[in-house]
Amino acid sequence: MAIKTKLNFWERLYFPEIFRGIAITSRHFFRNLSNPFKNPVTIRYPDQKRFIHPRWRGRHRLMERNDGSPRCVACMCCATVCPARCITIMPGEHPDPAIMKYPISFDIDMTRCIFCGYCVEACPVDAIRMDSGIVSVVDYSRDSLQFQKEVLLKTS
Ligand code: SF4
Ligand code: SF4
């Protein structure tokens, strides 16, 4: 659709456009007031929740192996690619030489995360996902938004 760049005389006066905007807003207001259940534009959150598409990027979760240990091999790809620098991993030597490394600690600072999903894309072993379906990441303190490995493993 072409974008209109030139304003005509009436549009340059602004007042007709302001009144037109008020008229549209008023029309929606009174229509919703007279019948709030027909095509409502609001929902009764949190009792009612909007449909979240399965591909929506929600809160992170760490995947587990069959024995319950983290699938993560502490390669640091996610921490390196993260533009917000909110992933901190302390790698340790894994007892199984086939795995080599595992995360002793794996922290995500959710106060800085921008939900870009780069960490998920960068992971070579599908150890981190954002498909938890949890989109509301809120709390009363910054400290409680520092998610450790144990929390991320429990998130489903
Ligand atoms: S979603 Fe983006 S900002 Fe958040 S932890 Fe992953 S890479 Fe970092
Ligand atoms: S990219 Fe995957 S395997 Fe590597 S440190 Fe991050 S979560 Fe672990």
Side-chain angles (χ1 to χ4, degrees):
M1 192 175 78
I3 298 170
K4 188 176 170 185
T5 53
K6 281 201 171 177
L7 302 179
N8 63 33
F9 173 74
W10 292 107
E11 287 168 337
R12 269 186 282 137
L13 281 181
Y14 288 110
F15 287 107
E17 293 303 303
I18 290 171
F19 289 124
R20 203 162 69 92
I22 291 172
I24 291 171
T25 305
S26 304
R27 194 177 71 222
H28 286 293
F29 174 76
F30 287 112
R31 194 191 62 191
N32 291 336
L33 199 66
S34 62
N35 191 353
F37 299 108
K38 190 185 174 200
N39 301 324
V41 290
T42 55
I43 59 162
R44 296 170 183 228
Y45 185 85
D47 298 329
Q48 193 184 352
K49 298 213 169 54
R50 285 201 189 280
F51 166 73
I52 302 295
H53 195 276
R55 290 185 63 191
W56 187 282
R57 289 194 283 265
R59 211 174 94 176
H60 308 67
R61 66 185 180 122
L62 284 178
M63 305 302 291
E64 295 179 340
R65 297 174 194 277
N66 290 338
D67 62 2
S69 64
R71 197 187 286 177
C72 171
V73 291
C75 67
M76 312 296 279
C77 286
C78 55
T80 306
V81 79
C82 175
R85 296 279 178 263
C86 57
I87 301 178
T88 310
I89 304 166
M90 188 191 291
E93 199 173 324
H94 200 282
D96 182 351
I99 298 177
M100 287 178 64
K101 284 193 293 177
Y102 79 104
I104 297 172
S105 67
F106 190 114
D107 305 330
I108 301 183
D109 181 351
M110 294 305 292
T111 62
R112 296 173 65 180
C113 175
I114 55 170
F115 291 85
C116 63
Y118 286 1
C119 50
V120 177
E121 287 180 38
C123 183
V125 292
D126 188 25
I128 185 167
R129 294 186 187 172
M130 297 178 78
D131 62 353
S132 62
I134 303 170
V135 293
S136 177
V137 184
V138 291
D139 218 309
Y140 291 106
S141 72
R142 286 173 179 266
D143 287 346
S144 52
L145 290 171
Q146 314 294 317
F147 292 159
Q148 283 87 32
K149 181 176 75 175
E150 293 71 23
V151 173
L152 295 164
L153 281 167
K154 262 193 276 169
T155 305
S156 57

